[in-house]
Amino acid sequence: MINGFKLHETATAPAASAEILNCVQKAWGFVPNLHRVLAESPAALEAYNTLWGIAEKTSFTAQERHIAYLAIIYENECTYCMAGHTNLSRMAKVAPEAIAAVRESRPIADAKLEALRQFAAKVTRQRGAVSEADVEALKAGGYDNRAVLDVLVLAATKLISNYTNHLAQTPNDSFMKGAEWTVPGKLKPAV
């Protein structure tokens, strides 16, 4: 870990964060290291936890949500989230070939998922400044304007986690074993 961040336990976290950590423990059976880092700021932890829940309410299926998350994570080069979401994608029964394609920035065979992958990646890479043609390509893949905005919900969720992991160099959790990822190396720290 860097920048003075630490992995909080409920005993070391601010009271408002400790409550959320307890809820995460009950829901997941463990507290991911990301949440333990975010616990430093009750507002950041609550924002991430709330957005995660809202993301579940988007128009996307679990498989679509994970494809979009992986595409966003790829663009943000977050090794922690790529490992975690790779295994979460497996648990959501995303096809192994699709997971591998997104991790390697290759096209997905399924045209609808590929349209979503490309759009989520462009939204992230271009900070939302996509063209009308980009939106039309997503729609041609079988999505609508609701999906366009739902991608932003997923991108906002991953912005908090991906950026936190960059700031803290969050160590992987044990459930991520076997899903480690080497970044393509585009991002460089600001000077």
Side-chain angles (χ1 to χ4, degrees):
M1 304 257 309
I2 60 171
N3 294 321
F5 286 101
K6 62 183 177 180
L7 298 175
H8 281 282
E9 303 293 338
T10 53
T12 64
S17 290
E19 289 178 34
I20 297 170
L21 293 178
N22 283 329
C23 290
V24 170
Q25 173 71 41
K26 286 178 188 169
W28 288 56
F30 76 105
V31 178
N33 288 337
L34 167 65
H35 294 75
R36 294 172 65 200
V37 172
L38 284 168
E40 185 75 28
S41 165
L45 180 59
E46 181 180 359
Y48 181 72
N49 208 42
T50 300
L51 276 172
W52 180 269
I54 291 169
E56 301 279 318
K57 299 175 185 177
T58 61
S59 58
F60 301 123
T61 66
Q63 290 83 10
E64 290 170 326
R65 207 169 39 254
H66 285 291
I67 290 296
Y69 274 147
L70 289 170
I72 293 162
I73 292 162
Y74 180 92
E75 292 300 321
N76 285 331
E77 294 190 346
C78 182
T79 58
Y80 178 92
C81 284
M82 185 62 81
H85 278 275
T86 294
N87 283 340
L88 291 173
S89 295
R90 291 172 179 155
M91 292 165 53
K93 303 208 182 332
V94 176
E97 304 80 27
I99 296 169
V102 181
R103 285 174 55 106
E104 298 165 11
S105 192
R106 292 184 290 105
I108 300 170
D110 180 296
K112 186 174 184 182
L113 290 178
E114 175 58 14
L116 179 58
R117 180 193 73 82
Q118 285 189 27
F119 187 76
K122 285 181 182 179
V123 163
T124 305
R125 185 179 328 120
Q126 296 167 202
R127 298 185 307 260
V130 295
S131 68
E132 287 182 58
D134 294 329
V135 173
E136 283 307 313
L138 179 69
K139 289 179 178 180
Y143 295 98
D144 57 15
N145 278 342
R146 178 179 175 185
V148 170
L149 296 175
D150 285 349
V151 166
L152 302 182
V153 173
L154 303 181
T157 305
K158 289 296 101 190
L159 181 140
I160 293 172
S161 61
N162 295 171
Y163 288 17
T164 296
N165 295 322
H166 289 315
L167 288 168
Q169 288 187 0
T170 310
N172 284 358
D173 294 291
S174 59
F175 92 94
M176 298 173 182
K177 188 102 173 124
E180 295 84 356
W181 181 65
T182 303
V183 299
K186 298 177 298 191
L187 296 181
K188 305 270 186 283
V191 185

